[in-house]
Amino acid sequence: MEPITSALLAWYDRCARVLPWRGFHDAYRTWVSEAMLQQTRVETVLSYYPRFLSRFPSLSSLAEAPEADVLKAWEGLGYYSRARNLWKGAQQVMAEYGGVLPRNPEQMRKISGIGPYTAGAIASIAYDVPVPAVDGNVIRVLSRLYGIRSDAMARETRRRIEELAAALVPPERPGDHNQAVMDLGATVCVPGTPDCARCPLSSFCDAFIAGDAADLPVLPKAKPQKVIPYSVLLILSGNRVLMRQRTEPLLRGLWCFPMFEGDLSAEETRAAAEKKLRLSLSVPEEAGSARHVFTHRVWQMRLYKTGTEASAPAPEGYDFVPLSRIGDLPLPAAMNAALALLTPRA
Ligand code: SF4
């Protein structure tokens, strides 16, 4: 075994984080945890993971569930395409693999929602296949360890990191090794200034010796997020409110209130809403503002409240949802501030 690997495993045996998805050789559980952990902090996943598994205890129960139930169980975690892909992937595994995730990472990558990282994680953790699982954490740790000072996203560099990662994975305990790298990247070799004094690999580490760990990995400058202004309009009709299940890729399948792009006044919002929805509305009352940050964009929302006739029919593509039923629908966190304006809320 590589000296780096044995030092890392010895550290892992002493310092591994205790996490509810560890200690099982169960590909479904590992898959759910890895899907939830993409772009999401461990602390957030800790509360969602057990709830999701008690609602969908097996791959078949997930595959058979309606999409809305899966999105509801994912509500608040964000990046909902992960939930949809997991659900579709479960159906694919039922249909094509007899309900059992394949061991082979190449085969696994043909399943919806499973990319190279997730395939490596599931194969190594659940099936003890000695393959790496390279994500942003691993790129950071290995860039520092091996002193890689070229653009970490460039194809050549990426290939080199993958080769180095593969060479480190031991045939025994591959899953523990991959989880050890993840833990090191999450708790010691963190973004910004790493805690090298606590690191089991400092004597092997090129960046530690060179003193430039905080500058690695070399990453291309992130593009500034695009800020998009919206009016979010709560249209009350008796004890119902107008909503729409989104069909756009962003937040598809989740329920939102009508939204109109632009930094619009109350009167402008009413005019836009009447034109689009063909409803007669009273002048909206401005009820606050909210901001929701996605990966590449920000919704800057002005919140308005208005009313229409109690018997008004819903425009095409929309539904008037009874206030007591809103809680049953999958709702994105982006609508939280608008939802808080509705009382009573179920
Ligand atoms: Fe990261 Fe520092 Fe450890 Fe190197 S010594 S791997 S930079 S924590």
Side-chain angles (χ1 to χ4, degrees):
M1 190 184 288
E2 289 276 335
I4 290 176
T5 306
S6 38
L8 192 57
L9 281 173
W11 172 80
Y12 185 70
D13 288 339
R14 290 193 316 278
C15 305
R17 291 177 294 177
V18 178
L19 298 170
W21 46 89
R22 289 189 171 164
F24 300 94
H25 274 73
D26 180 325
Y28 172 61
R29 281 169 174 260
T30 305
W31 188 11
V32 171
S33 68
E34 291 300 338
M36 287 190 169
L37 286 164
Q38 284 163 31
Q39 315 266 359
T40 307
R41 293 161 55 82
V42 165
E43 294 72 27
T44 308
V45 173
L46 284 175
S47 61
Y48 281 88
Y49 177 78
R51 263 188 280 144
F52 192 90
L53 278 185
S54 68
R55 173 69 186 80
F56 308 110
S58 60
L59 195 139
S60 59
S61 62
L62 176 63
E64 286 158 15
E67 182 182 15
D69 287 10
V70 179
L71 293 175
K72 186 72 192 162
W74 205 269
E75 186 180 289
L77 255 182
Y79 301 101
Y80 291 88
S81 56
R82 295 177 297 173
R84 262 192 305 274
N85 285 336
L86 185 62
W87 173 66
K88 280 189 205 148
Q91 291 173 339
Q92 201 180 337
V93 173
M94 293 303 293
E96 296 173 24
Y97 299 99
V100 180
L101 268 162
R103 284 175 62 88
N104 182 326
E106 292 303 320
Q107 228 173 347
M108 232 190 270
R109 284 170 58 176
K110 296 184 182 142
I111 295 165
S112 161
I114 300 188
Y117 165 78
T118 308
I122 299 172
S124 61
I125 296 169
Y127 293 137
D128 284 326
V129 179
V131 288
V134 179
D135 70 349
N137 268 324
V138 177
I139 290 172
R140 183 171 61 255
V141 173
L142 297 192
S143 295
R144 290 169 171 174
L145 194 56
Y146 291 102
I148 297 170
R149 295 178 177 83
S150 49
D151 178 355
M153 291 300 125
R155 194 182 300 176
E156 273 307 300
T157 316
R158 188 63 200 253
R159 191 174 308 139
R160 187 169 162 223
I161 291 173
E162 277 162 15
E163 283 166 8
L164 290 166
L168 284 179
V169 181
E172 62 281 6
R173 304 183 64 189
D176 283 352
H177 167 82
N178 285 340
Q179 291 178 98
V181 186
M182 293 171 198
D183 277 14
L184 192 78
T187 63
V188 178
C189 196
V190 292
T193 307
D195 190 356
C196 302
R198 284 204 301 128
C199 181
L201 306 184
S202 56
S203 60
F204 306 99
C205 180
D206 187 284
F208 174 62
I209 293 160
D212 65 349
D215 301 330
L216 299 181
V218 176
L219 295 171
K221 270 215 162 62
K223 282 192 198 145
Q225 286 169 321
K226 189 173 173 201
V227 179
I228 309 169
Y230 280 108
S231 282
V232 177
L233 187 57
L234 299 178
I235 303 175
L236 289 150
S237 160
N239 63 353
R240 310 172 303 161
V241 66
L242 193 68
M243 298 191 81
R244 180 174 81 90
Q245 191 170 25
R246 284 178 68 88
T247 51
E248 300 88 333
L250 181 67
L251 304 181
R252 190 168 62 227
L254 280 87
W255 288 76
C256 289
F257 302 107
M259 295 172 67
F260 304 93
E261 191 171 335
D263 188 15
L264 307 178
S265 67
E267 195 46 72
E268 288 167 337
T269 301
R270 174 165 81 161
E274 286 191 332
K275 186 169 172 210
K276 181 161 182 196
L277 305 173
R278 306 200 176 282
L279 289 171
S280 164
L281 303 172
S282 49
V283 177
E285 161 202 342
E286 184 153 3
S289 62
R291 186 178 165 87
H292 191 82
V293 179
F294 297 93
T295 314
H296 301 297
R297 70 187 80 176
V298 177
W299 284 1
Q300 184 62 52
M301 297 171 278
R302 282 207 208 188
L303 312 177
Y304 291 102
K305 234 172 147 173
T306 187
T308 189
E309 296 154 27
S311 58
E316 200 183 330
Y318 289 78
D319 276 307
F320 273 116
V321 177
L323 297 180
S324 59
R325 279 211 41 232
I326 292 178
D328 300 338
L329 304 175
L331 307 161
M335 290 294 113
N336 281 353
L339 268 174
L341 300 172
L342 291 175
T343 50
R345 198 194 152 192

